[in-house]
Amino acid sequence: MPDAYTKLRSDTAESRLARLADGFLATQLLYVAAELRLADALADQPRTAAELAEKVGADPGVLRRVLRGLAAEQVLDELPDGRFALAPSGELLREGVPGSLRGPVLARGGLYYGAMAGLLPSALGGGTPFDLVHGMTFFAYLDAHPERSATFQASMTARSAREAAAVVDAYDFRPFRTIVDVGGGKGGLLGAVLEAAPELAGVLFDRPEVVRDAGLPAVGGDFFVEVPAGADAYLLSRVIHDWDDADAVAILRTCRRAMAAWGRLLLVEAVLPDRAADQPAAVRMDLHMLTLLRGRERTTGEFADLLDAAGLELTDVIAADKSTGLHVLEARCPGAALPTPGH
Ligand SMILES: C[S@@+](CC[C@H](N)C(=O)[O-])C[C@H]1O[C@@H](n2cnc3c(N)ncnc32)[C@H](O)[C@@H]1O
């Protein structure tokens, strides 16, 4: 007979592994909830499975089991009378609430989920799992599938809204007069930066179809070719991590060419820890990059090397968010005139 401690340990190991192996269930339960807008349908009052099925146009029998799955994961509460209510995590599946994770959930359950089937072939023979599954790169796929592109941008928007507050708290943008947000998506971060530094003039730069209806001054283009020239600061938030070293250096060189001599280049990125367990969120994001793109998260030393290869010098690393490992990495042209522009 195993003693109590051995039994507890093996139960924990077994149940932990079983739960991890069932991760595919959780991803898809959340995805279905987000697609069907179940949380929005439950926002005003708890409902039975039949009422919800009627409201969202779903099969009542299947939906009830999905709702029970979400209750088992404590995303929903199952009330004694059989109705379902939103638990605190479920609230975050609502569209547009502060901290909403509906966008990231849709991207994970739809766009990212299928790509994971390419991980084993990738582990055996190299290559990007997404490309192995879809026969094209992630951004080419987004160009060909506008509805998926919208989901991806919604996910980016939700994340950058969460991160923007942390970035403007951590870094003072007021000394700059002009800033270009390179690969700035829909401009969530740039909007927050301009709010924190009202004197600053900002330009959003991204692929033409992304910036088409941006509510900020915007330029569409390709950051491998050219970005708007002469600004004091070039902000690249979660851009470099999408690319392998050669492409990352190419993007940084484009920015370096465009920068004023006194300019600053600011990377907003999760910095990888030395030991994975010290920053699991950054390690998970590294796996997103591995699966979808030829990208990677990097350590501070790896960022310094990339910047150096692009003719830039890493001068400061400022922690912005401990829970995700997000940092602002400041670089400048070696030997550039000081002090800070605008002063
Ligand atoms: C991971 S998203 C980051 C978005 C935003 N900076 C943020 O922090 O949420 C990367 C961005 O790079 C843009 N992008 C990809 N390839 C590009 C290219 N060749 N030229 C310009 N932008 C590009 C994408 O459209 C996307 O908005």
Side-chain angles (χ1 to χ4, degrees):
M1 276 283 282
D3 63 34
Y5 173 72
T6 310
K7 182 156 180 355
L8 178 72
R9 215 178 54 165
S10 67
D11 281 354
T12 308
E14 187 182 326
S15 60
R16 181 172 156 65
L17 191 60
R19 208 180 153 72
L20 285 172
D22 273 347
F24 72 103
L25 294 179
T27 303
Q28 287 303 319
L29 287 171
L30 294 174
Y31 176 59
V32 169
E35 271 290 349
L36 297 183
R37 297 181 181 276
L38 295 180
D40 294 316
L42 287 171
D44 56 342
Q45 63 180 81
R47 292 179 198 274
T48 64
E51 287 165 355
L52 267 176
E54 168 92 35
K55 205 167 160 60
V56 304
D59 178 278
V62 175
L63 188 68
R64 178 159 190 283
R65 292 160 77 181
V66 167
L67 294 168
R68 297 257 300 164
L70 289 162
E73 296 293 352
Q74 298 175 8
V75 174
L76 299 180
D77 287 331
E78 193 177 14
L79 304 181
D81 63 7
R83 290 182 303 158
F84 293 91
L86 292 177
S89 309
E91 286 283 350
L92 298 177
L93 285 175
R94 289 174 61 192
E95 170 102 69
V97 294
S100 172
L101 291 173
R102 182 170 182 266
V105 164
L106 287 174
R108 279 158 180 73
L111 193 56
Y112 305 173
Y113 186 79
M116 279 312 269
L119 186 59
L120 180 59
S122 164
L124 289 170
T128 302
F130 188 95
D131 303 3
L132 295 175
V133 169
H134 292 286
M136 64 178 95
T137 67
F138 185 68
F139 287 116
Y141 182 91
L142 289 187
D143 283 343
H145 297 83
E147 74 300 341
R148 294 280 173 147
S149 182
T151 306
F152 173 67
Q153 287 303 338
S155 173
M156 291 300 108
T157 303
R159 183 187 42 69
S160 69
R162 285 196 305 281
E163 292 178 354
V167 170
V168 296
D169 275 356
Y171 191 85
D172 185 6
F173 290 88
R174 287 170 304 174
F176 302 122
R177 288 162 307 191
T178 50
I179 189 165
V180 181
D181 188 357
V182 178
K186 292 290 180 195
L189 176 57
L190 183 61
V193 167
L194 297 180
E195 210 166 287
E199 310 278 291
L200 186 57
V203 172
L204 185 66
F205 179 85
D206 206 292
R207 297 180 300 130
E209 62 275 25
V210 175
V211 296
R212 196 163 292 139
D213 51 0
L216 293 163
V219 175
D222 181 354
F223 52 42
F224 287 103
V225 180
E226 191 178 29
V227 299
D232 296 334
Y234 287 78
L235 179 63
L236 294 97
S237 164
R238 303 274 201 181
V239 168
I240 291 304
H241 77 162
D242 287 349
W243 305 94
D244 65 16
D245 287 357
D247 283 337
V249 171
I251 297 166
L252 293 172
R253 283 205 181 116
T254 313
C255 295
R256 167 78 180 79
R257 279 199 303 277
M259 278 165 73
W262 61 83
R264 301 283 189 274
L265 184 132
L266 306 167
L267 303 180
V268 174
E269 295 280 0
V271 171
L272 274 185
D274 292 331
R275 283 167 43 88
D278 292 341
Q279 192 52 266
V283 175
R284 287 203 306 275
M285 189 55 80
D286 183 53
L287 293 168
H288 282 216
M289 296 306 117
L290 170 73
T291 305
L292 302 175
L293 298 153
R294 283 176 294 132
R296 58 190 317 128
E297 301 298 334
R298 294 176 171 92
T299 62
T300 307
E302 289 167 340
F303 279 118
D305 289 345
L306 286 186
L307 290 161
D308 184 59
L312 290 157
E313 185 183 358
L314 179 62
T315 47
D316 208 353
V317 180
I318 303 136
D321 181 2
K322 283 205 169 58
S323 69
T324 56
L326 195 73
H327 286 71
V328 180
L329 298 103
E330 187 194 67
R332 60 180 70 157
C333 307
L338 296 175
T340 314
H343 282 185

